[in-house]
């Protein structure tokens, strides 16, 4: 093999090594970038999920408060109806008691 051919082979091998090294560096940069993007995506999704959970919790609390207020209002109305019924029957009850005491 001539010196010129050996030199060309050596240059080709050197160029191949440089391309492999460059490709390896590029692959490392791609991996680092992908890992960084993946971590950011996970962090963004976690923050979004936390915000959604807070929103759902706030909505549930608001619905529970509304239901509690409605229940209290319903119970207050029932109590008032019972009081009015008791007041209407108070005169009858007093007359009944007076009649029973008077007949004894």
């Amino acid at each position: 093999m001539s010196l010129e051919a050996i030199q060309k082979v050596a240059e080709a091998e050197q160029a191949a090594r440089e391309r492999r090294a460059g490709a390896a560096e590029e692959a490392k940069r791609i991996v680092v970038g992908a890992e960084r993007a993946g971590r950011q995506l996970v962090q963004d999704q976690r923050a979004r999920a936390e915000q959604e959970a807070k929103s759902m919790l706030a909505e549930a609390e608001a619905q529970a408060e509304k239901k509690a207020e409605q229940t209290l209002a319903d119970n207050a109305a029932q109590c008032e109806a019972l009081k009015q019924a008791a007041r209407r029957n108070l005169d009858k009850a007093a007359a009944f008691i007076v009649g029973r005491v008077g007949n004894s």
Side-chain angles (χ1 to χ4, degrees):
M1 195 182 262
S2 71
L3 184 58
E4 188 178 310
I6 294 173
Q7 191 175 9
K8 285 185 179 182
V9 168
E11 288 173 0
E13 288 175 346
Q14 180 63 30
R17 279 192 294 272
E18 288 173 4
R19 282 195 302 271
R20 274 194 298 264
E25 286 299 316
E26 180 64 20
K28 286 179 185 178
R29 282 194 296 274
I30 290 170
V31 168
V32 167
E35 287 175 347
R36 184 179 302 125
R39 283 191 300 272
Q40 185 63 45
L41 182 61
V42 167
Q43 185 178 8
D44 292 348
Q45 292 298 323
R46 185 174 288 137
R48 191 171 130 235
E50 287 175 3
Q51 185 61 36
E52 189 174 328
K54 286 178 185 179
S55 176
M56 290 171 67
L57 181 59
E59 184 178 336
E61 287 174 346
Q63 289 177 355
E65 185 176 340
K66 186 176 180 180
K67 185 168 177 84
E69 288 173 1
Q70 183 62 46
T71 301
L72 288 173
D74 291 347
N75 288 343
Q78 289 175 352
C79 285
E80 188 58 35
L82 288 173
K83 285 179 187 179
Q84 289 177 1
R87 286 185 189 115
R88 283 192 303 270
N89 293 328
L90 187 59
D91 291 337
K92 291 179 189 176
F96 178 75
I97 292 171
V98 169
R100 300 257 310 167
V101 171
N103 290 337
S104 305

